[in-house]
DNA sequence: CTAGGGTTAG
């Protein structure tokens, strides 16, 4: 009788454990105890698993105590369950005690330990332990490959994968799923296609995980058409998995893919059609949409989505919080970004990094340094992106010493190899304050002269500090490294012209022409009542062009009265257009500003976006306008924000 | 019927 009771309970428990109803399992366990039914090892393992996925350290410990008190035999399976439970609930002390007392250990035991090292980021230890395993089963390989990849040891992960194939271990669907994620993160389309062919041959392309990994791999490799093809073909062959987690995840991948590829319209369209078709929109999709809004600067849509999400009563998690912070910061509302940051309770590295990068592009250097110190004191490990934010902040605020210190910290303490972005920040750090020779020295010392980005950064600094000699020299470098970039040609020919070296100027121009180099036309846009209005220099296509030009004319006259002078003589002018006061007066950002002023109430901030850097004259224009009209103007150019208020700019003349 | 591994968003 009693025996049958236990069997019935066990079947119930294992069923609910399998479908993931952890709460029900714990309830059943309580019932068993109340009724005096003694659970067997099967039940106990399931219960422990539920405790770890619910992070119920207390309940699990209770189970452990109960096992010891009731003299239940601790076989290796049950001990492994306990071990895994302690590890997952981050009670490493108890895990260690238990491990040392274990008489029998099998491959599962070692796999749990390897997984633990990988979760705490200790890849070396994990690999070391993996190498020493006498018996490596598929799961051991899967764990180490996946863990190495998650810790961004991508090359090692790939090497291990090849080694696994050579070793002759049978690859299962989990291996392929991991391999597809790896191919995606390496942006290795060829590898991805090979895996696609292999899973197809094995007939495991119907596996939900594989299906989504395939879709996501094509998205990440920028091949949206292939991704959509996989999705449609699967729906056709196996029927749509309506509103299942599988379907939501695949659409989530597609939307984020569109956004990554800059196809914002497609992303927004897919989003609205999902809403219309009542396909569930989960938080990952919302997160992607918000980050799309951040990247194309449509604040109003983003705010609407944010409000909608807020109304449904969901809490903002670290993922969504980061993208909201990013959006508000990139759209110029640093205050809102900071508010989101304060309201988000689980702060991880990415959330911190979003906040740091947000402050950095707004020029809040000191603030960033403080934040960075508090990250470290909170025990959060910064990543490579965090350092980009910190270094950007230092360079924008002229904090040379701090910048150098953090660059060293990154290399020496955290062991991150600097990438182009970090080097560019460093060159900027020196160049921005006028230490042009130091910047040059830095480039040579670090052996990064083949990176065009660092030279472009140096060129900007030459322009800022009006060092014509060095600018000329840097232009020559860039002409070789980046023959299709129009900027250096134009600047170089301007320099030659000023020095009356007409022939050279003509040579540069014709070289540019023969190489088919096209200028990137300067463009500014402003969002008014959910509508984006774009302007190019001297634009006459806007329906209210007459009003705009008339107002701009009037405004410039009034600005002159309070001291604004058009800066027409500057050879080092940004490259948007030809020189000349008339053209300068109609730069796209001025047109956008004029339109913003005449079409909104006098309280509202003006937010303008521009695809190039703002030029010196426009920068002055904005300062005087903010003073004259008492209005805040925010210009987001390709590099950073300029926050104009009472005649001053937040960039402190560094840009 | 029990232990270890896989899919999306910043």
């Amino acid at each position: 009788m009693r025996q049958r009771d236990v069997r019935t309970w066990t079947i119930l428990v294992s069923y609910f454990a399998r479908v993931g109803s952890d709460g029900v399992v714990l309830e059943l366990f309580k019932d068993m105890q109340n009724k005096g039914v003694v659970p067997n090892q099967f039940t106990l393992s399931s219960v422990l698993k539920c405790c770890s996925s619910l992070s119920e350290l207390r309940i699990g410990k209770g189970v452990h105590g109960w096992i010891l008190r009731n003299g239940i035999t601790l076989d290796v399976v049950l001990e492994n369950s306990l071990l895994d439970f302690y590890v997952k609930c981050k009670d490493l002390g108890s895990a260690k005690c238990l491990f040392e007392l274990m008489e029998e250990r099998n491959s599962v035991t070692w796999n749990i330990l390897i997984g633990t090292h990988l979760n705490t980021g200790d890849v070396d230890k994990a690999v070391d332990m993996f190498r020493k395993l006498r018996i490596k089963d598929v799961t051991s390989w899967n764990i180490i490959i996946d863990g190495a990849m998650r810790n961004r040891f991508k090359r090692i992960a790939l090497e291990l994968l090849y080694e696994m194939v050579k070793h002759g271990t049978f690859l299962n669907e989990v291996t392929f799923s991991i391999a597809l994620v790896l191919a995606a993160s390496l942006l290795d389309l060829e590898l991805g296609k090979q895996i696609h062919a292999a899973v197809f041959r094995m007939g495991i392309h119907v596996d939900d995980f594989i299906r989504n990994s395939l879709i996501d791999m094509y998205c990440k490799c920028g091949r949206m058409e292939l991704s959509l093809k996989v999705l449609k073909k699967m729906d056709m062959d196996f029927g749509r998995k309506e509103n299942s987690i599988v379907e939501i995840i695949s659409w989530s991948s597609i939307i984020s893919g569109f956004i990554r590829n800059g196809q914002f319209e497609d992303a927004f369209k897919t989003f609205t059609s999902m809403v219309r078709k009542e396909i569930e929109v989960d938080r990952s999709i919302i997160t992607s949409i918000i980050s799309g809004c951040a990247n194309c600067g449509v604040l109003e849509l983003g705010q609407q989505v944010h409000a909608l999400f807020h109304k449904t009563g969901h809490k903002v998690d670290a993922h969504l919080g980061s993208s909201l912070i990013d959006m508000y910061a990139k759209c110029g509302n640093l205050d809102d970004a900071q508010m989101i940051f304060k309201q988000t309770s689980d702060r991880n590295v990415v959330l911190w990094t979003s906040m740091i990068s947000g402050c950095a592009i707004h020029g809040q250097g000191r603030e960033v340094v403080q934040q960075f110190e508090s990250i470290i004191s909170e025990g959060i490990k910064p990543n490579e992106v965090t350092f980009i934010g910190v270094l950007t902040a230092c360079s924008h605020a002229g904090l040379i010493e701090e910048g150098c210190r953090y660059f060293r910290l990154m290399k020496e303490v955290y062991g991150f190899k600097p990438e182009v972005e970090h080097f560019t920040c460093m060159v900027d750090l020196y160049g921005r304050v006028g230490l042009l020779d130091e910047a040059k020295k830095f480039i040579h010392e670090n052996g990064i002269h083949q990176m065009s980005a660092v030279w472009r950064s140096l060129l900007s600094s030459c322009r800022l500090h009006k060092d014509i000699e060095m600018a000329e020299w840097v232009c020559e470098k860039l002409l070789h490294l980046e023959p299709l970039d129009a900027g250096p040609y134009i600047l170089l020919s301007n320099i030659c012209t000023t020095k009356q070296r007409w022939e050279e100027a003509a040579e540069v121009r014709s070289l540019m022409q023969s190489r088919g180099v096209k200028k990137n036309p300067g463009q500014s846009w402003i969002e008014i009542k959910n509508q984006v209005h774009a302007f190019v220099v001297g634009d006459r296509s806007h329906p209210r062009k007459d009003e705009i030009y008339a107002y701009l004319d009037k405004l410039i006259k009034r600005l002159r009265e309070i001291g604004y002078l058009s800066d027409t003589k500057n050879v080092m002018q940004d490259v948007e257009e030809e020189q000349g006061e008339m053209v300068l007066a109609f730069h796209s950002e001025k047109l956008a500003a004029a339109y913003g002023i005449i079409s909104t109430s006098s309280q509202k901030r003006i937010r303008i976006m521009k695809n190039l850097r703002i030029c010196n004259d426009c920068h002055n224009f904005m300062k005087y306008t903010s003073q004259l009209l008492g209005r805040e103007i925010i210009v987001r150019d390709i590099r950073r924000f300029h926050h104009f208020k009472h005649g001053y700019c937040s960039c402190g003349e560094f840009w």
Side-chain angles (χ1 to χ4, degrees):
Chain A
M1 193 62 196
R2 179 114 282 184
Q3 194 55 33
R4 215 169 67 202
D5 266 359
V6 179
R7 283 183 66 89
T8 317
W9 284 102
T10 307
I11 290 167
L12 271 176
V13 166
S14 65
Y15 168 74
F16 284 110
R18 203 173 52 239
V19 298
S21 306
D22 300 320
V24 180
V25 173
L26 295 187
E27 288 293 317
L28 286 169
F29 180 63
K30 225 186 281 166
D31 282 355
M32 283 177 87
Q33 283 179 315
N34 290 340
K35 296 204 167 89
V37 183
V38 179
N40 57 16
Q41 270 117 332
F42 301 153
T43 315
L44 292 167
S45 284
S46 299
V47 169
L48 285 167
K49 196 174 181 177
C50 295
C51 290
S52 43
S53 71
L54 293 171
S55 299
E56 281 285 1
L57 182 62
R58 205 179 45 82
I59 298 179
K61 271 192 161 167
V63 175
H64 192 180
W66 186 90
I67 291 171
L68 296 176
R69 278 196 307 277
N70 289 276
I72 305 261
T73 327
L74 275 171
D75 64 357
V76 66
V77 174
L78 194 50
E79 281 184 320
N80 280 339
S81 299
L82 278 165
L83 185 66
D84 190 54
F85 152 74
Y86 280 122
V87 157
K88 292 248 164 71
C89 289
K90 298 194 167 57
D91 185 350
L92 297 184
S94 304
K96 195 160 181 281
C97 280
L98 182 74
F99 173 76
E100 275 158 12
L101 289 171
M102 282 171 77
E103 277 174 27
E104 190 190 340
R105 293 162 189 165
N106 61 13
S107 66
V108 176
T109 317
W110 294 110
N111 287 345
I112 292 170
L113 292 186
I114 291 173
T116 310
H117 288 314
L118 291 166
N119 275 335
T120 52
D122 202 338
V123 181
D124 292 338
K125 233 186 209 147
V127 172
D128 203 41
M129 198 176 255
F130 172 79
R131 294 264 173 241
K132 286 186 186 137
L133 284 184
R134 272 186 303 115
I135 302 160
K136 300 177 174 71
D137 58 13
V138 208
T139 307
S140 319
W141 286 99
N142 288 346
I143 291 172
I144 193 77
I145 295 172
D146 183 59
M149 173 176 69
R150 272 176 215 289
N151 284 290
R152 308 204 218 187
F153 286 63
K154 296 180 196 172
R155 306 272 6 143
I156 292 183
L158 190 63
E159 279 161 24
L160 283 162
L161 180 65
Y162 285 132
E163 200 182 316
M164 179 180 183
V165 174
K166 223 166 65 190
H167 192 261
T169 313
F170 175 78
L171 315 186
N172 64 13
E173 56 268 58
V174 178
T175 320
F176 283 106
S177 175
I178 294 168
L180 281 166
V181 178
L182 182 60
S185 77
L186 290 165
L187 304 177
D188 189 338
L189 182 64
E190 281 317 304
L191 178 63
K193 281 182 168 171
Q194 278 173 26
I195 301 169
H196 190 171
V199 297
F200 191 77
R201 276 197 305 272
M202 290 173 70
I204 55 173
H205 56 296
V206 295
D207 181 288
D208 288 347
F209 283 93
I210 300 269
R211 171 193 132 123
N212 282 338
S213 303
L214 271 172
I215 290 174
D216 194 57
M217 182 273 295
Y218 284 124
C219 286
K220 292 228 170 87
C221 292
R223 302 297 296 268
M224 296 308 294
E225 77 289 357
L226 295 177
S227 180
L228 288 162
K229 204 168 123 190
V230 172
L231 181 70
K232 290 204 177 108
K233 178 135 178 39
M234 299 258 184
D235 279 355
M236 222 157 63
D237 292 354
F238 311 107
R240 222 190 99 192
K241 312 224 169 185
E242 230 163 306
N243 255 345
S244 61
I245 294 176
V246 195
E247 183 170 55
I248 297 168
I249 293 180
S250 42
W251 282 112
S252 177
S253 288
I254 302 253
I255 288 181
S256 76
F258 278 138
I259 287 168
R260 217 191 325 266
N261 285 303
Q263 303 180 37
F264 301 112
E265 277 305 311
D266 290 317
F268 296 147
K269 263 189 218 147
T270 311
F271 176 69
T272 31
S273 89
M274 282 182 79
V275 174
R276 212 174 297 126
K277 283 192 218 148
E278 292 183 341
I279 298 176
E280 197 185 317
V281 172
D282 74 345
R283 54 201 315 141
S284 73
I285 294 175
I286 304 268
T287 305
S288 294
I289 290 293
I290 296 285
S291 103
C293 293
N295 290 328
C296 64
V298 288
L299 179 59
E300 288 179 29
L301 175 64
Q303 278 173 322
Q304 282 162 13
V305 175
H306 181 194
L308 215 66
F309 180 82
H310 195 71
K311 233 168 56 189
T312 54
H314 291 296
K315 254 188 81 190
V316 172
D317 65 357
H319 273 283
L320 182 56
S322 311
S323 64
L324 283 168
I325 290 170
D326 190 46
M327 175 184 78
Y328 283 118
K330 283 195 178 143
C331 291
N333 297 10
L334 192 59
D335 299 343
D336 287 332
Q338 274 159 338
M339 195 185 69
I340 302 281
F341 180 75
K342 285 192 189 107
Q343 286 170 356
T344 313
S345 50
D346 63 312
R347 294 180 186 166
N348 61 15
V349 215
V350 185
L351 192 86
W352 274 103
T353 302
S354 306
M355 195 64 250
I356 284 182
S357 313
C359 290
I361 51 173
H362 284 273
Q364 314 257 332
R366 292 269 165 219
E367 183 130 329
V368 167
V369 170
Q370 250 174 35
Q371 280 173 331
F372 187 73
E373 297 301 330
S374 48
I375 281 197
I376 295 176
S377 63
E378 272 191 37
I380 293 173
K381 193 180 155 206
N383 63 27
E384 294 96 320
V385 188
T386 318
F387 279 104
I388 297 176
V390 174
L391 295 175
T392 307
C394 291
S395 81
H396 283 279
L399 304 174
I400 306 219
E401 229 170 84
E402 286 86 345
C404 293
R405 198 176 70 224
Y406 289 132
F407 187 66
R408 271 204 310 276
L409 187 76
M410 173 177 100
K411 288 192 299 186
E412 289 160 17
V413 177
Y414 290 94
F416 293 133
K417 220 177 123 237
E419 301 281 336
V420 185
E421 292 88 348
H422 304 106
F423 286 127
T424 309
C425 286
M426 291 306 288
V427 172
D428 208 49
L429 182 71
Y430 291 117
R432 212 171 265 274
V433 292
L435 297 172
L436 300 175
D437 289 319
E438 292 290 320
K440 210 167 100 182
K441 210 173 104 201
F442 180 87
I443 294 176
H444 287 297
E445 280 174 359
N446 285 277
I448 48 173
H449 40 264
Q450 77 291 352
M451 296 179 180
S452 52
V454 299
W455 292 112
R456 264 201 293 269
S457 165
L458 183 57
L459 185 58
S460 306
S461 299
C462 294
R463 191 178 278 144
L464 185 64
H465 294 282
K466 305 201 167 44
D467 187 329
I468 297 183
E469 305 305 319
M470 196 183 287
E472 191 178 341
W473 183 76
V474 177
C475 280
E476 299 275 2
K477 292 250 175 218
L478 275 167
L479 252 40
H480 293 293
L481 282 171
E482 217 47 66
L484 294 179
D485 183 5
Y489 291 94
I490 298 172
L491 187 56
L492 188 56
S493 94
N494 282 351
I495 293 173
C496 294
T497 309
T498 3
K499 292 187 168 175
Q500 311 203 332
R501 285 150 40 192
W502 314 111
E503 267 177 39
E504 275 178 68
E507 252 171 57
V508 175
R509 291 271 174 185
S510 77
L511 181 64
M512 180 176 165
Q513 226 165 28
S514 69
R515 286 181 178 173
V517 181
K518 292 267 181 308
K519 280 194 284 191
N520 185 4
Q523 219 184 85
S524 298
W525 58 96
I526 183 165
E527 186 191 14
I528 291 181
K529 293 192 189 78
N530 257 337
Q531 191 107 55
V532 176
H533 301 258
F535 297 87
V536 294
V537 64
D539 204 322
R540 297 214 160 254
S541 61
H542 197 274
R544 292 175 65 183
K545 61 175 190 296
D546 294 336
E547 281 171 82
I548 294 171
Y549 279 92
Y551 179 75
L552 192 56
D553 202 40
K554 203 173 80 195
L555 180 62
I556 290 178
K557 281 191 186 112
R558 286 173 64 199
L559 294 178
R560 289 224 174 96
E561 286 165 19
I562 60 168
Y564 165 65
L565 289 170
S566 301
D567 181 4
T568 55
K569 299 249 161 19
N570 190 356
V571 212
M572 306 293 271
Q573 195 61 266
D574 213 330
V575 292
E576 183 168 28
E577 278 307 323
E578 297 83 344
Q579 309 295 304
E581 190 165 357
M582 280 315 281
V583 183
L584 210 56
F586 305 130
H587 267 180
S588 56
E589 53 267 56
K590 291 199 184 85
L591 296 174
Y595 178 61
I597 296 166
I598 60 173
S599 55
T600 55
S601 77
S602 60
Q603 308 306 318
K604 256 192 131 174
R605 291 198 252 193
I606 310 268
R607 290 191 312 112
I608 298 165
M609 273 146 309
K610 182 175 162 97
N611 66 340
L612 299 174
R613 278 200 191 196
I614 186 170
C615 82
N616 196 29
D617 180 58
C618 287
H619 195 262
N620 260 328
F621 168 91
M622 300 293 172
K623 282 200 288 195
Y624 280 105
T625 305
S626 73
Q627 187 186 345
L628 181 72
L629 304 179
R631 280 180 88 145
E632 274 181 65
I633 304 174
I634 295 162
V635 178
R636 160 181 154 180
D637 73 6
I638 197 158
R639 296 274 300 179
R640 61 165 294 152
F641 273 97
H642 300 270
H643 215 119
F644 301 94
K645 206 171 168 180
H646 308 310
Y648 292 96
C649 179
S650 63
C651 76
E653 306 305 301
F654 280 151
W655 79 89

